[in-house]
């Protein structure tokens, strides 16, 4: 495993980091971020993509906006959201790769020799 330089962090910095992870710890917010991955999207399209109710999606968009992860703009009656902090993509990629590697190792561990599964 690659060694990373350890940073000295104040209690205030640790609290801010914990708050960022709290924002990302909600599956609906992750679905919203995923829906915004490629481009700016209207609220209606976000609701369609995540399968949520308007009030719930709006609440989560507010939390994401307050955290600085998304931004919004209004065009007439339509509201568009986009990713405001692209570092969120890096965080998601690191976690996804780690989970993939962990699950692959578990599968390799339980899979029979030769990689062939037999049915009973």
């Amino acid at each position: 495993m690659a060694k990373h330089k350890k940073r000295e962090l104040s209690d205030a910095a640790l609290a801010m980091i914990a708050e960022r992870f709290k924002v990302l710890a909600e599956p609906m917010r992750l679905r919203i971020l995923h829906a915004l991955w490629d481009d700016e999207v209207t609220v209606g399209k976000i609701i369609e993509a995540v399968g949520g109710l308007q009030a719930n999606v709006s609440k989560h968009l507010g939390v994401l906006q307050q955290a600085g992860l998304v931004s919004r703009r209004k065009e007439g009656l339509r509201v568009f959201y986009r990713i405001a902090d692209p570092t969120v993509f890096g965080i998601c990629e690191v976690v996804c790769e780690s989970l993939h590697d962990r699950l692959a190792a578990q599968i390799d561990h339980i899979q029979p020799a030769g990689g062939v599964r037999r049915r009973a």
Side-chain angles (χ1 to χ4, degrees):
M1 181 177 201
K3 207 62 160 141
H4 295 281
K5 184 178 178 189
K6 182 179 176 182
R7 294 181 187 209
E8 293 302 318
L9 298 170
S10 67
D11 288 344
L14 291 169
M16 289 172 67
I17 293 165
E19 193 60 37
R20 175 62 51 104
F21 281 115
K22 259 178 26 182
V23 169
L24 294 173
E26 166 58 49
M28 178 58 81
R29 291 186 203 128
L30 294 174
R31 280 196 287 279
I32 291 169
L33 291 171
H34 192 260
L36 296 171
W37 197 275
D38 292 322
D39 205 1
E40 184 177 67
V41 181
T42 64
V43 174
K45 293 284 184 189
I46 295 169
I47 292 167
E48 279 179 37
V50 302
L53 299 174
Q54 193 271 329
N56 190 35
V57 171
S58 291
K59 177 187 81 169
H60 289 298
L61 282 166
V63 171
L64 290 167
Q65 184 178 10
Q66 175 106 21
L69 294 174
V70 301
S71 60
R72 63 177 272 187
R73 73 176 177 87
K74 217 171 168 183
E75 189 177 287
L77 297 175
R78 298 186 326 166
V79 178
F80 292 83
Y81 282 86
R82 68 179 179 284
I83 299 293
D85 183 352
T87 63
V88 74
F89 298 134
I91 294 167
C92 290
E93 289 293 330
V94 166
V95 172
C96 288
E97 286 176 24
S98 174
L99 289 173
H100 177 271
D101 294 347
R102 183 175 172 194
L103 291 172
Q106 288 176 348
I107 288 169
D108 288 346
H109 180 72
I110 62 172
Q111 199 170 38
V116 177
R117 292 185 184 176
R118 300 175 199 262
R119 290 193 167 179

